[in-house]
């Protein structure tokens, strides 16, 4: 087999592959066998039809086409391996010659990672926020916890802001009731502005059994975007009562006996959060500093795919939240053009960051061990709330382990960069990242990895929601015993995860040359 490489652009090549016809013999034999199973010719059982009869009744051309389709993936893979290019995505393949009995040739145009070297990254400096926990932050956290333990009592008066009102809503357009915009027995916190615009103002001052009609634009449903007449009727009014900030509350809301113990625990937890945020910021800013030293071309197709992925992800998140993109842009105070520009810039930065970390892994000859894959699977499984073995099985069955290897490898490459970067806080204090990492690990008895996206990814709504869940769990005062139990379960499950990880070789960066981006 002969392969020539033509560089179309710095990020796209054209492979021209010539294959002696003899190399297609196994594929031809397979094609004849499969077609023999499918055709029905009198006097011959399925699978026993001779090749000459298949050529006569089905056609040699159909057999050749079947053989070529079967051979192309392997031949393309061999061409990529021989030319040592790092391909991205699927190729555009064209058969250029099929001379029966003589030669077979095809071309494949495909995006590639640009060729470059990562420059020296010693001496880079980055600045992160101070690890400061204020009394205001502690008060806010405990205040949120008080909200979780608030009680509601009936009030024999008109609705005021902050009350909870049970209401009926009826939406009409031109006198026609809009069912998907109407509801009954809806408990609503007045002043939260979490429902249709104008509802909060309409409810204030109404007593039980009283109604008020107002005009608003429907945010969802089949008539979304249209103006409707909405009638809100109050069924009852309830007042929210917050518990007193005393020892009794501390015992109710946590495992602590006094309010001071609870405050100190909140301070410790917030301190861990800000220290972890420092680590995360250090990783992101270290990568940003490295990327500023490197100028490389990016494949348009790969960037476009990343833009589409981000837009699809946002669309899914907005659907789950019951929001439209217009509402989201309004809340963010951005125009459609500004949003698209931000997404495109973030996508380019993400793609570039991935390329740089992949190349750094190659230069530094980094590899991934099975134990590291196991640890990654266990950590992800715990965050997702599934059994590690279940996640490991899914990744294996869906051929996702190579992608996990790549992700772990990029993380190791980024860790290497952070080790060589000087990190300071806003006050000018130089931070020992390793010491902070050890401190956090020692506090929990588990390995803590500060979250960071290899491609300098912007925070997503999923990450924000995960952070909110974690904060709520901490506010509720989960006990150290429960955390220890979770660690024991993770440790017990790691063996299962490792077994699945062993099904993929302990790959290094060079072994990933032909993977999809």
């Amino acid at each position: 087999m002969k392969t020539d490489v033509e560089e179309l652009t710095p990020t796209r090549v054209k492979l021209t592959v010539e294959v002696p016809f003899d190399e297609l013999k196994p594929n031809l034999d397979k094609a004849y066998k499969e077609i023999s199973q499918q055709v029905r010719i009198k006097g011959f059982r399925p699978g026993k039809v001779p090749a000459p009869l298949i050529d006569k009744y089905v056609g040699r051309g159909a057999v050749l086409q079947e053989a070529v389709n079967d051979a192309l993936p392997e031949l393309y893979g061999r061409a990529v391996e021989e030319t040592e290019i790092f391909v991205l995505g699927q190729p555009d393949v064209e058969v250029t010659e099929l001379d029966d009995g003589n030669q077979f040739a095809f071309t494949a145009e495909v995006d590639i990672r640009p060729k470059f070297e990562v420059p020296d990254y010693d001496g880079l400096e980055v600045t992160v926020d101070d690890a400061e926990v204020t009394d205001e932050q502690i008060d806010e956290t405990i205040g949120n916890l008080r909200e979780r333990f608030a009680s509601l009592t009936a009030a024999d008066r008109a609705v005021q802001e902050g009350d909870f009102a049970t209401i009926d809503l009826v939406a009409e357009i031109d006198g026609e009731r809009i069912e998907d915009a109407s509801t009954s027995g809806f408990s609503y916190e007045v002043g939260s502005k979490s429902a249709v615009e104008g509802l909060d103002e309409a409810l204030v001052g109404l007593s039980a059994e009283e109604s008020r009609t107002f005009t608003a634009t429907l945010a969802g449903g089949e008539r979304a975007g249209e103006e409707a007449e909405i009638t809100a009727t109050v069924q009852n009014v309830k007042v929210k009562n917050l518990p007193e900030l005393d020892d009794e509350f501390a015992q109710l809301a946590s495992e602590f006996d006094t309010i001071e113990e609870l405050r100190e625990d909140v301070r410790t937890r917030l301190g861990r959060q800000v220290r972890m945020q420092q680590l995360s910021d250090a990783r992101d800013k270290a990568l940003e500093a490295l990327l500023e030293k490197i100028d490389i071309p990016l494949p348009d197709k790969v960037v476009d795919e990343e833009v589409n992925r981000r837009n699809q992800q946002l669309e899914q998140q907005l659907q789950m939240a019951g929001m439209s993109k217009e509402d989201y842009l309004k809340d963010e105070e951005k125009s459609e053009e500004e949003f698209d520009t931000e997404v495109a810039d973030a996508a380019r930065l993400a793609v570039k960051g991935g390329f740089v970390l992949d190349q750094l892994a190659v230069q530094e000859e980094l590899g991934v061990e099975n134990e590291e894959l196991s640890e990654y699977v266990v950590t992800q499984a715990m965050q997702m709330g599934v059994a590690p073995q279940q996640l490991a099985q899914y990744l294996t069955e869906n051929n996702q382990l190579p992608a996990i290897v790549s992700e772990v490898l990029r993380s190791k490459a980024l860790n290497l960069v952070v080790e060589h970067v000087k990190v300071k806080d806003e006050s000018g204090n130089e931070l020992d990242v390793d010491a902070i990492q050890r401190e956090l690990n020692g506090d929990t008895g588990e390995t803590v990895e500060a979250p960071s996206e290899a491609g300098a990814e912007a925070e997503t709504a999923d990450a924000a929601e995960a952070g909110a869940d974690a904060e709520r769990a901490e506010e509720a005062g989960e006990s150290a015993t429960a955390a220890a139990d979770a660690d024991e379960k993770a440790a017990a499950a790691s063996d299962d995860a490792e077994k699945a990880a062993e099904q993929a070789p302990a790959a290094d960066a060079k072994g990933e040359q032909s993977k999809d981006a």
Side-chain angles (χ1 to χ4, degrees), residues 213-496:
T213 300
F214 60 100
T215 302
T217 302
L218 298 181
E222 295 182 357
R223 309 292 291 269
E226 297 185 42
E227 281 199 348
E229 295 293 317
I230 300 176
T231 300
T233 302
V234 175
Q235 291 185 9
N236 57 62
V237 183
K238 293 182 179 180
V239 178
K240 179 171 63 177
N241 300 301
L242 296 175
E244 293 294 330
L245 277 177
D246 53 21
D247 294 346
E248 184 177 349
F249 168 70
Q251 295 164 20
L252 172 67
S254 71
E255 73 270 29
F256 301 105
D257 294 327
T258 68
I259 191 66
E260 288 306 317
E261 289 176 334
L262 175 58
R263 287 184 63 87
E264 190 59 33
D265 180 70
V266 169
R267 183 184 298 276
T268 299
R269 292 174 183 271
L270 291 177
R272 280 180 48 77
Q273 288 181 20
V274 295
R275 297 290 267 182
M276 287 190 67
Q277 188 61 49
Q278 279 187 322
L279 292 183
S280 177
D281 290 347
R283 289 167 63 83
D284 288 338
K285 291 185 177 182
L287 180 57
E288 290 173 8
L290 179 60
L291 295 184
E292 289 177 359
K293 299 181 64 175
I294 303 172
D295 184 19
I296 55 175
L298 302 175
D300 291 338
K301 185 176 180 181
V302 176
V303 174
D304 290 342
E305 289 174 351
E306 178 64 14
V307 169
N308 291 336
R309 184 191 70 80
R310 288 167 177 263
N311 284 328
Q312 290 173 3
Q313 185 181 52
L314 175 64
E315 183 178 345
Q316 292 171 355
Q317 292 163 354
L318 292 178
Q319 287 179 350
M320 293 177 61
M323 291 180 63
S324 66
K325 188 174 181 180
E326 291 73 18
D327 292 334
Y328 170 78
L329 293 176
K330 183 178 179 181
D331 289 344
E332 294 293 317
E333 298 182 349
K334 295 176 185 175
S335 67
E336 184 87 24
E337 183 179 353
E338 290 172 334
F339 173 79
D340 290 341
T341 299
E342 287 185 5
V343 171
D345 290 344
R348 281 191 289 269
L349 198 59
V351 172
K352 180 179 179 181
F355 287 171
V356 169
L357 293 178
D358 287 340
Q359 178 59 27
L360 180 59
V362 173
Q363 288 180 208
E364 300 292 347
E365 299 182 350
L366 301 179
V368 178
E369 302 297 333
N370 287 338
E371 293 78 6
E372 293 170 310
L373 291 180
S374 301
E375 182 179 349
Y376 177 90
V377 170
V378 169
T379 301
Q380 293 298 310
M382 292 187 66
Q383 292 178 358
M384 297 168 62
V386 300
Q389 177 58 21
Q390 180 182 352
L391 178 58
Q393 182 177 351
Y394 172 84
L395 294 173
T396 303
E397 292 177 349
N398 290 273
N399 195 31
Q400 294 296 308
L401 286 178
I404 300 305
V405 170
S406 176
E407 188 166 345
V408 174
L409 200 56
R410 287 181 176 183
S411 180
K412 293 183 68 172
L414 183 53
N415 288 340
L416 189 61
V417 175
V418 175
E419 289 176 8
H420 291 76
V421 168
K422 181 181 292 186
V423 182
K424 292 184 178 181
D425 62 21
E426 292 287 354
S427 298
N429 302 308
E430 187 169 344
L431 305 182
D432 186 336
V433 173
D434 287 339
I436 296 175
Q437 185 76 68
R438 288 193 301 270
E439 174 190 336
L440 294 174
N441 292 346
D443 282 348
T444 63
E446 62 183 8
T447 299
V448 176
E449 181 72 23
S452 174
E453 291 292 343
E457 300 259 357
E459 291 184 2
T460 63
D462 280 346
E465 179 61 26
D469 288 342
E471 182 176 344
R472 287 193 291 269
E474 290 187 343
E475 289 172 351
E478 290 185 343
S479 67
T481 302
D485 289 343
D487 288 344
E488 290 176 5
K489 291 177 182 178
S494 64
D495 291 339
D496 291 334

Side-chain angles (χ1 to χ4, degrees), residues 4-30:
D4 292 326
V5 181
E6 177 186 357
E7 184 179 289
L8 303 177
T9 71
T11 61
R12 191 168 180 84
V13 297
K14 178 179 181 180
L15 301 178
T16 301
V17 184
E18 298 178 357
V19 184
F21 198 82
D22 289 345
E23 292 192 27
L24 291 181
K25 185 177 185 310
N27 308 98
L28 284 168
D29 292 342
K30 181 179 178 182

